[in-house]
Each structure stands twice: as C-alpha cells, then as structure tokens.
Amino acid sequence: MLRNIILAASVILISACSNTPDWDYDKSVKFTNYKTFSWSADADLKNNGGNAYQINDLMEKRVRNAIIEAMLKHNIKLVESENADVLVNYHASVDSKIEADSFNTSYSARWNYWGFGYQTQTHAREYDVGTLVIDVIDKASNQLVWRGAKEGRLRNKQTPEQRTTSVNKTVFAILENFPPVEVH
C-alpha cells in the first residue's frame, strides 16, 4: 500500500515538472539591442504540422495576441517587417499519447482453487499533447537567436475564454525568459 502511494506521488511530481518551458538561446547575442519585432513569413500554426481540431484561425489569433502582449511586457513592440530588429516565428504540433494506470483492486479466492490472491486492473487512456514553439530570429543575420517551447495536455470542451486564458498562460510562460538575463 505504501509503495503504491509513493509511486503515485512520484508520478504526480514528475508530471508537474514536465510542464516547465524549455529555452535555448545564443549566448553571444546582446538581447538588450532588440526593441522591435515583426512576424516571420512562416509564422502560422496551421502550416507547420498543426492539424488537430484546436489548431484553427481562432487559435492563431489568440497566439498572436498573447505574443504581442508578452513582448510588450518586455518593452519590445510590434512594427512593420522592414523596421523590426527581430522576427518572431511560432508553430504548434499535436501528438497522441497513452496514459496507463495499473492498480490492485482486491484480494479474492476462486471457486475450486485453494489460496488467495489479488487482482490487477489496468486502465489506458489516449490523450492529445500540444507543443507550442516560439522562435526569435535576428533580422539582420537571419539567424535563430532564441527558442522557447512548452507542451501540455490539450483539453476539449473549453469555452473561448478558457482557451484564451490557456494560450495566454502558455505564451507568457514560454516568453518569461525572453530576453534572457545577460550575465557579465
């Protein structure tokens, strides 16, 4: 019994840690020079492998609005492409995963069988995991200088407000480390 509780607590702890955004960036870049951004020509959820029910024009709008808000919080504003310091690209993917839970349900004896035992039940569920990736490209060099990504379980049957809140939280979590703090 104690072993099952410890196992369940470990699974919960591991799953909680997996929702942390992942970042990578070029340490040679001086990010404080970036004051403006524009959209990359490739910035589109649907054209980059997003084919799930939730990848649509409404979600596209939510992602763009959340990126604009998050960048403004870092004092980087949206401008026309010719005036931008950096280009922002984003894309999403959706993968199906299977989650299985096994647990002991009871002790029992069988007819015409001497002895006791326990029964193990396994339940499997398929669910969708979405990953949103945001790239920042230096416009002058056309080089990727920063990338952030976050994955999370997709939920169906949400209101538009719940979807907007979810997108905002995801985008803000990804862009929390942009621009990265420069250590000298």
Side-chain angles (χ1 to χ4, degrees), residues 19-23 66 70 74 132 134 146 148-151 165-178:
N19 287 331
T20 304
D22 183 36
W23 301 293
H74 297 294
L132 178 63
I134 300 174
W146 186 92
K150 187 172 189 297
E151 77 172 23
T165 299
S166 178
V167 167
N168 287 345
K169 283 181 183 177
T170 300
V171 168
F172 277 73
I174 293 170
L175 290 173
E176 177 183 7
N177 190 37
F178 182 82

Side-chain angles (χ1 to χ4, degrees), residues 8-64:
S10 298
V11 168
I12 290 169
L13 182 62
I14 289 169
S15 66
C17 294
S18 69
N19 287 331
T20 304
D22 183 36
W23 301 293
D24 194 12
Y25 61 94
D26 183 344
K27 288 188 168 208
S28 68
V29 172
K30 187 157 179 77
F31 287 91
T32 54
N33 291 337
Y34 299 142
K35 304 292 183 208
T36 58
F37 81 98
S38 187
W39 302 114
S40 163
D42 297 329
D44 186 345
L45 292 177
K46 299 177 301 302
N47 290 339
N48 292 296
N51 57 3
Y53 162 74
Q54 289 141 332
I55 306 296
N56 56 46
D57 290 336
L58 298 170
M59 192 59 70
E60 181 90 29
K61 235 174 156 177
R62 288 182 183 107
V63 168
R64 282 192 178 230

